[in-house]
Amino acid sequence: MLLIKELDKSKVGESISLAGWLRTKRDSKGGFSFLEINDGSSFKGIQVIADQNLDNYDDVKSLHTGASLKLTGKLVESPGKGQSFELQAESILIYGNTDQSYLLQKGRINFETLRESAHLRCRTNSIGAVMRVRNQLSKATHDFFQNRHFLNLHTPIITASDCEGAGQMFQVTTLDMDKPPKNDLNKVDYKKDFFGKKTHLTVSGQLNGETYACGLGRIYTFGPTFRAENSNTSRHLSEFWMVEPEAAFFELEENADLARDYLKYCFKSVLETSADDLEFFDQRIEKGIITKLETLSDAEFTRITYTEAVKLLEKTDKKFEFPVKWGIDLQSEHERYLTEEIFKQPVIVTDYPKDIKAFYMKLNDDEKTVRALDVLCPQIGEIIGGSQREENLDLLLNRMKTLDLNPEDYSWYLDLRRYGSVPHSGFGLGFERLVQFCTGMSNIRDVIPFPRTPKNAKF
Ligand code: 4AD
Ligand code: MG
C-alpha cells in the first residue's frame, strides 16, 4: 500500500493500492463518479475515478464524506487542472461508511467546535496541515541540535523542585489503595503525596538539564511541561512541550546566537519540506506567511537590552494598558509593540531586572540586572526564555535567601557550583508557540493534538 505523499510521475501506468478517507464525491450521469481521497500524508488528496464496472458501484455511490476506503487501480495522467495524476479504480473496499450526522459533510467547521470532536479534528485540512508542520518542526529540532552535537536528554516529569520558583505546579498524588478505584476514577480517593514526598509535574527540565550539561557538555531536552497558571489566553496551555538546550562554557552571547540559529533553521526546514501546507496557511490563515518565513530565515534578529527596550517603549505615543517603567515585567502588548511596530522582526531582549526573573540567572556587575534572554516574535510575543546561569555558589545562595528558597531542597543543584563549577547557559522554547509562528494559527489550542487548558482535559 502506498501513501499519497509517495506518488510521483514515475508511478504513472503502475497498478497501486491506496487507503484513506473520502473528502467529496461527485456522481456523473454517464455511470461514473469522482472521489476525492485524502490519507493525511500530505495536504493534497487524489482524485479517483470509479465506474459501473466495479462490483460494488451502487455501494460506492452511497458513500458519504468521511467514509474509509481501500482503493486499487491504475495511476494515470490526469487531464484535470491542479493535479498531475489520478487513480482509475479497479476495486474499492469499503471499510466504513458515515451518515448524515458526520459533521464534515456540512462544510467548514470553526476551530472551537472542532476542539470538541476528537475524531473529526485531525481529518480537517487545517489541523492536518498544522500537525504535519508540527512534526517537521520536531524533526528539525532534533536535526539542529544533533548536528551541533547536543545530546538529547530525557529529564523527569515528576520532580520535587520548582525550577521557575513561581509556584505554578500540579501536585502528584497516589491513589489510596485501601479504597480500590473500581471503574469510576471520579470516585477514587487520592493520597496527598507521592510515597511520602511532595512532588509535582515539572514546569521545566532546566535544573536537571544543567546537571548533565555540567558533565557532558551540551544537552537538550524536548518534553512535556506543566503549568498550573489560570491563564486563558491564546498563548498559554496547562501542558505544553518545551525544547531546552543547555551548554557548558556558553555565555549569554553564544546562547543568543544558538537561539537565533535554531529558529532560522526551523523556518528554513518548514519552507523546504512543507510547501503545500504553507500555501494553505498563506491563503487561509495568515496572508504573507511564506514571505515572512523566507525573510526571517536570513535575518539577523535585533538584539537590545531590557533597559533599551523600556526607553524605546517610553518614547512612543502609544497608550499601553500597563504603563511602562523600568522594573516592570514586559507585558504581551509591549512585546508585540517592539516586534510588530518598532523592529518588525524577532527581537532578542537581554539583561532584565533581577527582581522579575528566576533565582538561577547570573547577576550582572550592576547588581540590578541578570544575564537573561527572551526572544520575542511578532504576533506571539515571548517564544524563548533563557539565561546564562549563576555559577558562583555564594551569589546563588544569596539570591535564594532573598527569594526565601531553602538551599537544602536544591543541594544536589548547588553541588554543580561546589565542584568544578563552569559558566553555562541555556534557554527554553515553547514548542507550540513556534508552531503558531510557523502556521499563523491564532490560538495555541489548535496547534497541539489534545489541548490542556484550565478546566479542559476532555479526551
Ligand atoms: O520563560 P520560561 O518560563 O522559561 C523556563 O521555563 C526556563 N526554565 C527555560 C530554560 O531556560 N531552560 O518558559 C520558556 C518558554 C516561554 O518562552 C514560552 O515560549 C513557553 O516556554 N511557555 C509556555 N507555552 C505555552 N503555555 C504556557 N503556559 C507557557 N509558559 C511558558
Ligand atoms: Mg519567560
Side-chain angles (χ1 to χ4, degrees):
M1 192 123 54
L2 288 173
L3 292 171
I4 294 174
K5 188 186 174 71
E6 293 168 327
L7 300 182
D8 58 35
K9 282 220 157 122
S10 72
K11 300 204 170 52
V12 167
E14 283 181 26
S15 188
I16 61 163
S17 289
L18 298 167
W21 292 267
L22 179 65
R23 279 290 170 82
T24 56
K25 179 170 67 68
R26 201 154 43 82
D27 298 322
S28 144
K29 285 206 188 85
F32 56 93
S33 307
F34 297 101
L35 316 182
E36 179 71 23
I37 305 292
N38 190 288
D39 66 2
S41 67
S42 70
F43 191 83
K44 282 197 183 117
I46 184 165
Q47 175 162 281
V48 178
I49 322 285
D51 64 29
Q52 53 201 358
N53 293 328
L54 293 170
D55 303 344
N56 57 351
Y57 185 57
D58 284 345
D59 295 336
V60 169
K61 277 207 293 192
S62 73
L63 292 174
H64 298 287
T65 296
S68 48
L69 310 169
K70 179 179 174 187
L71 312 115
T72 303
K74 200 165 159 196
L75 196 67
V76 295
E77 291 213 20
S78 171
K81 254 205 206 149
Q83 59 195 24
S84 34
F85 31 73
E86 56 194 27
L87 189 75
Q88 198 79 51
E90 281 152 20
S91 81
I92 296 183
L93 172 70
I94 301 170
Y95 292 116
N97 201 354
T98 62
D99 59 32
Q100 301 297 343
S101 65
Y102 187 65
L103 277 178
L104 277 187
Q105 294 176 4
K106 305 192 169 92
R108 241 196 267 177
I109 307 170
N110 67 37
F111 290 122
E112 255 167 60
T113 312
L114 281 179
R115 278 179 231 138
E116 297 296 311
S117 185
H119 78 280
L120 203 63
R121 208 170 169 244
C122 50
R123 293 193 203 167
T124 60
N125 275 334
S126 42
I127 300 299
V130 167
M131 294 309 154
R132 282 187 296 271
V133 169
R134 185 183 168 106
N135 171 62
Q136 190 53 46
L137 287 168
S138 165
K139 180 171 184 301
T141 295
H142 287 293
D143 289 346
F144 175 80
F145 288 109
Q146 295 288 340
N147 289 346
R148 293 189 177 211
H149 310 293
F150 282 67
L151 178 146
N152 184 200
L153 188 76
H154 298 148
T155 47
I157 286 173
I158 299 176
T159 67
S161 33
D162 177 6
C163 173
E164 292 306 295
Q168 297 170 326
M169 297 185 296
F170 292 102
Q171 194 182 337
V172 175
T173 61
T174 43
L175 298 183
D176 186 345
M177 291 321 270
D178 296 334
K179 299 173 191 159
K182 302 231 171 50
N183 291 327
D184 188 348
L185 282 178
N186 287 320
K187 292 195 185 134
V188 175
D189 283 317
Y190 290 89
K191 289 193 170 162
K192 288 237 163 49
D193 55 33
F194 177 73
F195 305 114
K197 185 162 174 56
K198 274 222 166 13
T199 49
H200 309 93
L201 298 182
T202 188
V203 295
S204 157
Q206 178 195 323
L207 304 188
N208 307 85
E210 276 185 60
T211 310
Y212 271 76
C214 292
L216 298 177
R218 296 179 191 180
I219 64 93
Y220 71 104
T221 73
F222 187 177
T225 47
F226 307 83
R227 303 262 166 123
E229 52 190 321
N230 198 3
S231 299
N232 274 294
T233 79
S234 57
R235 299 182 313 129
H236 288 88
L237 291 164
S238 308
E239 176 179 316
F240 64 99
W241 286 65
M242 215 194 314
V243 177
E244 297 185 88
E246 191 72 34
F249 314 110
F250 270 38
E251 301 200 5
L252 192 72
E253 282 306 304
E254 227 171 334
N255 200 27
D257 291 347
L258 185 74
R260 177 204 57 204
D261 292 351
Y262 167 44
L263 286 173
K264 285 164 66 168
Y265 186 90
C266 288
F267 302 155
K268 267 204 187 92
S269 159
V270 170
L271 285 165
E272 277 165 17
T273 58
S274 311
D276 290 345
D277 292 321
L278 283 183
E279 193 65 44
F280 167 79
F281 294 125
D282 212 301
Q283 277 170 20
R284 297 280 271 277
I285 307 287
E286 181 186 325
K287 214 167 171 21
I289 193 166
I290 296 179
T291 316
K292 171 183 93 176
L293 294 175
E294 280 168 354
T295 312
L296 292 182
S297 306
D298 274 328
E300 233 340 278
F301 292 24
T302 313
R303 283 186 207 185
I304 51 171
T305 63
Y306 167 90
T307 304
E308 286 162 349
V310 164
K311 278 193 193 136
L312 286 172
L313 291 166
E314 280 174 335
K315 262 206 283 187
T316 67
D317 300 330
K318 166 114 177 137
K319 290 271 161 293
F320 293 111
E321 195 188 332
F322 295 93
V324 180
K325 70 170 204 279
W326 199 95
I328 63 152
D329 204 356
L330 296 183
Q331 302 296 314
S332 147
E333 55 173 342
H334 309 129
E335 296 174 344
R336 293 191 59 165
Y337 194 80
L338 283 169
T339 53
E340 290 168 29
E341 306 294 329
I342 302 185
F343 294 108
K344 302 194 192 319
Q345 60 155 306
V347 179
I348 304 181
V349 182
T350 62
D351 302 288
Y352 282 72
K354 69 173 193 300
D355 293 339
I356 56 169
K357 288 292 181 189
F359 74 98
Y360 50 73
M361 297 193 182
K362 183 176 171 64
L363 194 62
N364 275 317
D365 292 342
D366 64 12
E367 294 189 10
K368 283 197 215 121
T369 58
V370 283
R371 304 246 75 195
L373 155 173
D374 275 7
V375 183
L376 315 177
C377 279
Q379 286 105 31
I380 304 291
E382 179 190 333
I383 196 164
I384 284 179
S387 70
Q388 183 170 341
R389 320 307 187 186
E390 182 58 76
E391 82 262 25
N392 179 298
L393 181 64
D394 293 335
L395 291 177
L396 187 56
L397 282 169
N398 272 346
R399 186 87 182 103
M400 290 175 76
K401 202 164 155 199
T402 320
L403 294 171
D404 222 9
L405 294 172
N406 182 359
E408 272 171 36
D409 293 342
Y410 294 85
S411 128
W412 60 278
Y413 178 73
L414 295 169
D415 283 345
L416 300 176
R417 280 78 184 167
R418 287 191 183 104
Y419 307 109
S421 187
V422 293
H424 61 285
S425 302
F427 62 77
L429 163 115
F431 190 62
E432 284 72 24
R433 293 190 187 173
L434 175 67
V435 182
Q436 275 189 285
F437 191 71
C438 294
T439 57
M441 296 295 285
S442 57
N443 197 320
I444 196 164
R445 293 167 178 80
D446 299 321
V447 299
I448 185 162
F450 293 96
R452 298 287 179 254
T453 48
K455 297 195 188 138
N456 193 344
K458 189 167 168 185
F459 308 116

